[in-house]
Amino acid sequence: MIKHQHMKFGWLGVVFATTLWALSVNAAADPQGEGTTANANMVESIDYSTLPGGKVVVKVTLKQEQSQPPAAFTTNAPPRVALDFLNVGNGLAKNTIHVGDGLLRSMNAVQANNRTRIVLNLNKPATYTTSMEGRNVLVTLQGTGTAGVSDSAVTHFNQAVAGIQKNSLKNVDFQRGKNGEGRVIVDLEELGAGIDIRQQGKNLVVEFLNTALPGQLERRLNVTNFATPVLTVDTFKQGQNTRMVIEPKGDWEHSAYQSERRFVVEVKPIVFDPSKVVQGSKAGFGGEKLSLDFNGIDVKSLLRIIGDFTGKNVVVSDAVQGTITLRLKDVPWDQALDIIMKQKGLGMDNLGNTLVFAPKDEIANRRKQDQEQENQIDDIKPLITQSFEVKYQKAADIKTLISDPKQPLLSKRGSVVVDTTTNTMFVKDIDTSLTKIQEILNKVDISARQVLIEARIVNADESFSRSLGAKFGVVKGDALKPSGSLNPTSIATSGNLGNNYSIFNDSKTITPNDLNVNLPAKSATGAAVANIAFTLFRLPAGFLLNLELSAAEADGKTKIISSPRVITANQTQASFDFGEEIPYNSATSSGATSVSFKKATLGIMVTPQITPDDKIGMDIEVTNDSRGKDTTAGPAINTNKVKTKVLVDNGETAVLGGFYKETKKDSNERVPFFGSLPIIGLFFRSNAVDNSKQEILFFITPKIMSDSMQLN
């Protein structure tokens, strides 16, 4: 006994092919009307029996024993099992056998040329095995063992890598794509996670096999405000696995991909296209594959067969005429339909569950007539007055939007008025226009997302200065005589060599002559300079040798951090200024004097724009002005400003710009020749060193305000 286990395939192929073969007997009949060629082997009988455990065994008895079992495949919607017997005729008295017992609902047998197809119609999807016992072919049906059946088969996105004991989720996030798709982003701890994806009811279920879920990630993400097909994302533990349930709305399709440790599920909205049988944005055709081989089949019959096997109603215009010959092997059924329509110059209207076929010109004229009839009906429809309470936008702006002459939403008889006090809009129009206005209002009258923008301006200054100098002179004794005589024992001393000397023993103040060397130290900050002066000795000739040494050193470090913050709505400009306005006198054209002001402020002016993927683009200008030196024309303003346009991730910090300035100054003043002498030259020169560093940086950190942040 030979046994074969068969895999499941789509139902559209078997349904389509079954009916095609059923009707091809007449379409492909030979000219003599003798029908198909007689087959040596025939199906003599079909019987069934039920077994314990819900099993059903179908026995197909042939006239002769076959060496190979029949080719078979299954469908899920509707649930069926199809068996193809090659080079076997149909010898049954009835082509349809009603059963209604357990899994099996009925059985159909159809012959097409040298092949006979037996279709087992089931009450619910089931697994099956085929075996051969002599002239009998046995098909054993076994239920799935569950009360319900999942809407689609499980897709094994990724098999778990051997050797990984346990994986874990690191983060679950959600973003809106550029085309309105919802992107669920999952970061994994390891690469080799096993992932299964399936559709369950209206939800999309993602199963992470043998994967742990941290407590903070076991939550529901409400992403309704992102304006994508996804409403919520629930992540929770399911035994040893982690399960994610994505709840979409409307018509949608999904795709998934993984890059390194990041797994992404995209849920895209499907825009209905009446020219397509299979909706969706995927390229190519999405129907089940089938093979067709017809010679001169009537086009109307072919289209009617397509409707039967796709479960859709079909309306064919009387203008559709002629026959078609085609041979297609393993092509999607919707591609086969597209080929037929192109060959015969046909068009199609997809009206939900009904397909309308006609020549393209007829469809175009019918659409034009329908539009004209709709316009005529609109002209006689009663006018209805409806009020629209605008919550977040200005009613006057909504009025401008719906009254735009380039794309008006009002009919020719419609009108709108606005009450600015209550921000309410009153529209008088037909019901279809009011419905369109309500749809537009639902999309645009939403709360604007807000952005917290924090700028940081770091200004660091570092300076160092050092200065050494000396005053040196020989003063004649007579210059110190207050009355023409000098006491030989008098000694002149002072803290510095200024213009006055004190004579201790005579208690007199003397004004000396000029010094020979006057190169004192200078302070870079303007502070007092430390010095010491004294008379070394009195010369016998009546001269005094005077010396003053001075030194100054300054070291300073300054760090200023300014952090202006501002909150603004998306795409709304905001500004912030903090500082002072400095008054100064200026002359007017008449010659009078007026008071003017100059700003020395710390400020920020920014216009943010939130992108669909939650990044923030900004047109930003940051200023950090301070008061400078006073001039005859008024005070000078030290300006630090950056103006730029950047794109930053939510919550991340970016450096807008900055500059670094370093100044080094080394000066030397000296008396020629004497200032260059070793050691002694120190008394004939002045040295000064002045180094400074200045650095300023501009940082920006934007954050999209969540509900919790706004409450705080």
Side-chain angles (χ1 to χ4, degrees), residues 255 332 423 445 502 516 574:
S255 61
N423 203 37
D445 189 25
S502 296
N516 301 108

Side-chain angles (χ1 to χ4, degrees), residues 155-305:
T155 301
H156 299 287
F157 177 84
N158 191 22
Q159 298 290 341
V161 177
I164 296 181
Q165 300 297 326
K166 190 78 172 180
N167 210 328
S168 177
L169 267 63
K170 293 177 61 178
N171 188 37
V172 177
D173 197 5
F174 184 85
Q175 293 181 356
R176 187 182 190 273
K178 295 181 179 179
N179 299 318
E181 68 273 14
R183 302 175 70 241
V184 182
I185 303 173
V186 180
D187 293 327
L188 300 168
E189 190 74 32
E190 301 292 342
L191 286 173
I195 303 174
D196 291 342
I197 305 174
R198 71 177 185 276
Q199 184 177 342
Q200 183 175 347
K202 296 181 179 180
N203 298 333
L204 186 65
V205 179
V206 182
E207 198 89 20
F208 298 91
L209 307 180
N210 196 27
T211 301
L213 178 68
Q216 69 272 17
L217 297 181
E218 191 169 2
R219 61 187 178 182
R220 162 175 283 197
L221 298 179
N222 189 337
V223 295
T224 306
N225 293 335
F226 283 81
T228 69
V230 181
L231 298 177
T232 60
V233 179
D234 289 304
T235 309
F236 52 90
K237 296 178 181 178
Q238 187 73 19
Q240 297 295 322
N241 304 334
T242 293
R243 178 171 295 179
M244 176 180 291
V245 179
I246 303 172
E247 181 186 357
K249 64 178 179 180
D251 296 329
W252 53 273
E253 60 185 357
H254 77 278
S255 61
Y257 61 90
Q258 184 172 358
S259 177
E260 298 295 333
R261 292 177 174 85
R262 173 162 289 187
F263 171 74
V264 179
V265 179
E266 287 190 353
V267 180
K268 304 177 182 178
I270 295 179
V271 180
F272 181 78
D273 186 354
S275 63
K276 295 176 64 176
V277 178
V278 179
Q279 301 295 322
S281 60
K282 295 181 179 179
F285 299 91
E288 299 291 338
K289 292 184 178 181
L290 57 94
S291 298
L292 302 175
D293 190 357
F294 291 102
N295 183 14
I297 186 172
D298 182 66
V299 176
K300 289 184 178 179
S301 300
L302 190 57
L303 297 175
R304 187 168 59 250
I305 293 168

Side-chain angles (χ1 to χ4, degrees), residues 37 140 146 185 387 390 412 422 506:
T37 305
T140 303
T146 58
I185 303 173
S387 63
V390 184
K412 294 183 293 184
T422 60
D506 292 338

Side-chain angles (χ1 to χ4, degrees), residues 10-31:
W11 63 274
L12 294 174
V14 60
V15 178
F16 188 74
T18 302
T19 310
L20 287 177
W21 284 331
L23 298 181
S24 62
V25 176
N26 295 330
D30 55 69

